């Protein structure tokens, strides 16, 4: 299954490249997503799934754990994802286990699922050199923490350029 | 000097967060200072909170590391604050804490706050990254002693930078405690909590 996560809204989101299909699931912004509150319920109460079911974004960990390909489209500001896409990643931690292991000399969480994910991250915005560096470093850490080995990061000056690259 | 502490934990109650304990520890290095504390656990900043921030000489963020960066609700607040605090004479400091042992894992989250300060045309102070966040809550260890020895040294430098309105290098510290023991206790702790929730250990490994 391919998973698309994006922060486009309105007309921008209505393009065939961002549409769900039989083998493609899409996580997009309906304005209702609630933040992760760090309760660890997705590890210790309902393992693998967020306990907050009020907004419909409780299955993100399951989707991460069952996809083979992921496309992430996000504004980049300060070197971070947009708040919506960051929220999706904050709510994804059910895809890993609470238990720790040492990877490259640092502590990280163990895998829950055995899937190998090929991930492509497309970031857009008026991004400074420092922000680009910060974003690249954060994403490299994300790949370790989410056990992703096949990855690509692309930067675009604006949404239109990014949409052009999707076609 | 007007100092505003920002607790960036998304938890409902500020007191239940390691970020709050860290700010309390920092207070001990800033005696006789006027310090306000706000809790940005929602996706927006209230008018009252924004007024406090606007009248500050220094602001200190304290937040948990979420997926290698700043928690999403705090990011939303940063977008709002960029507009409202633009080019004010405010110096910005940040303390990020994480559940992994190594404080170094916070370094890029601190950069996010620094990049925000640069975009907002504020003055950057310095940051501290604190590892071993699992040991901060529920322990009554005075900062500068025992497992919080290095944390104390870092806070001494940060408070000096606040009081002298100057910038400094980021400091990344671990708890003064063996990593293997921290890992062992933490892994055991997950199992204890799961059992309390009526789960078996094998349930924790469930796939969906």
């Amino acid at each position: 299954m391919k998973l698309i996560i994006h922060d486009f809204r309105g007309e921008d989101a209505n393009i065939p490249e961002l549409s769900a299909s039989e083998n493609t699931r899409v996580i997009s912004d309906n304005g209702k997503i609630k933040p992760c509150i760090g309760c660890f319920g997705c590890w210790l109460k309902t393992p693998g799934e967020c306990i907050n079911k009020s907004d419909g974004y409780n299955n993100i960990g399951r989707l991460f754990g069952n996809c083979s390909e992921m496309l992430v489209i996000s504004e980049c500001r300060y070197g971070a994802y947009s708040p919506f896409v960051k929220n999706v990643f904050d709510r994804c931690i059910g895809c890993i286990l609470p238990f720790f292991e040492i990877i490259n000399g640092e502590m990280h969480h163990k895998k829950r699922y055995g899937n190998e994910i090929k991930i492509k991250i497309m970031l857009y915005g008026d991004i400074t050199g420092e922000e680009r560096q910060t974003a690249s470093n954060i994403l490299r850490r994300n790949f370790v923490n989410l056990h992703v080995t096949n990855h690509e990061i692309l930067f675009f000056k604006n949404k239109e350029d990014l949409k052009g690259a999707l076609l | 000097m007007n100092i505003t502490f920002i607790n960036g934990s998304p938890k409902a109650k500020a007191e239940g967060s390691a970020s709050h304990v860290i700010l309390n520890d920092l207070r001990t290095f800033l005696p006789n200072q006027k310090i306000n504390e706000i809790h940005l656990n929602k996706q927006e900043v209230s008018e009252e909170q924004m007024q406090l921030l606007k009248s500050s000489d220094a602001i200190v963020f304290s937040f948990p590391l979420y997926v290698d960066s700043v928690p999403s609700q705090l990011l939303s607040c940063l977008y709002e604050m960029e507009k409202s605090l633009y080019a004010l004479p405010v110096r910005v400091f940040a303390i990020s804490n994480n559940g992994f042992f190594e404080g170094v894992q916070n370094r890029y989250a601190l950069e996010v706050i620094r990049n925000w300060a640069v975009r907002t045309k504020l003055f950057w102070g310095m940051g501290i990254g604190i590892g071993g966040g699992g040991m901060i809550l529920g322990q009554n260890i005075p900062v500068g002693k025992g497992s919080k020895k290095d944390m104390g040294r870092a806070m001494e430098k940060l408070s000096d930078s606040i009081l002298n309105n100057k910038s400094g290098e980021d400091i990344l510290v671990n708890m003064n405690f063996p990593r293997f023991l921290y890992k062992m206790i933490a892994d055991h702790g997950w199992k204890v909590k799961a059992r309390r929730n009526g789960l078996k250990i094998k349930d924790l490994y469930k796939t969906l």
Side-chain angles (χ1 to χ4, degrees):
Chain A
M1 179 254 290
K2 180 178 179 179
L3 180 61
I4 300 175
I5 301 163
H6 71 83
D7 60 7
F8 284 0
R9 294 186 75 167
E11 284 303 302
D12 290 324
N14 287 333
I15 54 175
E17 289 75 15
L18 299 181
S19 300
S21 66
E22 198 184 340
N23 292 317
T24 303
R25 300 288 301 268
V26 179
I27 303 177
S28 59
D29 187 5
N30 64 7
K32 290 179 182 165
I33 192 168
K34 297 279 191 297
C36 168
I37 55 162
C39 71
F40 301 136
C42 60
W43 287 339
L44 307 173
K45 286 185 180 167
T46 54
E49 190 150 358
C50 179
I51 61 166
N52 184 352
K53 295 178 171 59
S54 68
D55 60 2
Y57 289 95
N58 52 303
N59 64 344
I60 296 169
R62 179 198 298 234
L63 292 172
F64 273 55
N66 286 282
C67 70
S68 54
E69 201 181 330
M70 197 187 291
L71 171 64
V72 182
I73 294 172
S74 175
E75 183 188 9
C76 177
R77 205 168 177 83
Y78 324 130
Y81 280 137
S82 65
F84 171 73
V85 173
K86 183 59 176 40
N87 209 333
V88 171
F89 276 83
D90 287 354
R91 297 272 298 273
C92 88
I93 62 165
C95 75
I96 48 176
L97 294 173
F99 303 112
F100 295 115
E101 64 179 332
I102 306 297
I103 304 173
N104 303 328
E106 286 181 353
M107 195 184 252
H108 296 281
H109 290 286
K110 288 184 177 176
K111 281 175 102 159
R112 180 183 301 274
Y113 293 92
N115 61 329
E116 294 284 330
I117 307 174
K118 183 183 171 193
I119 189 167
K120 186 178 195 175
I121 304 200
M122 303 173 89
L123 300 173
Y124 64 89
D126 171 25
I127 308 165
T128 67
E130 287 81 9
E131 289 172 339
R132 191 178 170 130
Q133 197 57 48
T134 301
S136 301
N137 284 323
I138 288 176
L139 292 173
R140 266 192 280 275
R141 297 203 69 82
N142 284 175
F143 300 146
V144 175
N145 280 317
L146 299 174
H147 305 273
V148 174
T149 49
N150 189 338
H151 41 77
E152 185 181 9
I153 307 170
L154 299 168
F155 290 91
F156 298 87
K157 283 180 190 160
N158 52 50
K159 235 183 247 183
E160 293 311 312
D161 283 6
L162 191 154
K163 279 160 79 177
L166 281 176
L167 300 174
Chain B
M1 178 176 229
N2 276 341
I3 303 169
T4 301
F5 284 177
I6 299 173
N7 181 340
S9 166
K11 287 189 189 300
K13 289 184 181 169
E15 295 72 23
S17 67
S19 303
H20 177 71
V21 175
I22 286 168
L23 289 173
N24 272 352
D25 284 342
L26 182 61
R27 276 176 196 268
T28 63
F29 294 91
L30 296 164
N32 310 317
Q33 295 298 321
K34 189 187 169 201
I35 301 171
N36 292 301
E37 184 169 335
I38 61 173
H39 189 197
L40 295 184
N41 62 339
K42 300 274 186 294
Q43 285 151 313
E44 62 279 325
V45 184
S46 73
E47 189 48 45
E48 193 187 347
Q49 289 172 329
M50 199 65 92
Q51 285 310 321
L52 268 179
L53 291 165
K54 280 183 181 175
S55 63
S56 304
D57 301 301
I59 59 178
V60 184
F61 290 89
S62 174
F63 61 90
L65 187 75
Y66 268 34
V67 196
D68 303 303
S69 182
V70 171
S72 69
Q73 101 290 348
L74 185 57
L75 262 183
S76 297
C77 294
L78 290 177
Y79 274 54
E80 275 188 49
M81 289 159 67
E82 183 190 330
K83 291 176 204 146
S84 299
L85 303 185
Y86 192 78
L88 290 177
V90 179
R91 195 171 288 275
V92 179
F93 300 84
I95 307 175
S96 172
N97 75 87
N98 64 321
F100 298 134
F101 183 79
E102 303 85 10
V104 70
Q105 298 209 40
N106 294 286
R107 64 189 183 275
Y108 302 121
L110 296 174
E111 278 187 18
V112 169
I113 302 292
R114 189 180 69 196
N115 293 337
W116 168 80
V118 169
R119 252 190 199 275
T120 311
K121 294 212 180 303
L122 306 178
F123 300 99
W124 173 244
M126 62 173 280
I128 302 178
I130 301 173
M135 289 181 70
I136 291 172
L137 263 180
Q139 302 226 9
N140 231 351
I141 298 164
V143 66
K145 307 275 184 199
S147 58
K148 286 180 167 178
K149 197 172 170 186
D150 288 354
M151 190 174 142
R153 283 193 193 132
M155 284 190 173
E156 215 173 291
K157 288 196 176 153
L158 188 127
S159 51
D160 181 62
S161 293
I162 294 173
L163 295 172
N164 293 295
N165 190 21
K166 63 179 188 186
S167 62
E169 293 289 315
D170 290 353
I171 304 175
L172 306 160
V173 295
N174 302 341
M175 288 290 148
N176 299 92
F177 195 77
R179 183 172 75 177
F180 82 94
L181 213 51
Y182 178 82
K183 181 176 173 291
M184 200 189 287
I185 294 168
D187 280 345
H188 177 69
W190 298 126
K191 292 176 186 172
V192 171
K193 284 177 188 158
R195 281 199 201 99
R196 270 190 215 140
N197 291 333
L199 298 183
K200 292 180 178 152
I201 304 307
K202 67 171 185 187
D203 296 335
L204 295 180
Y205 294 87
K206 193 172 166 186
T207 55
L208 302 167

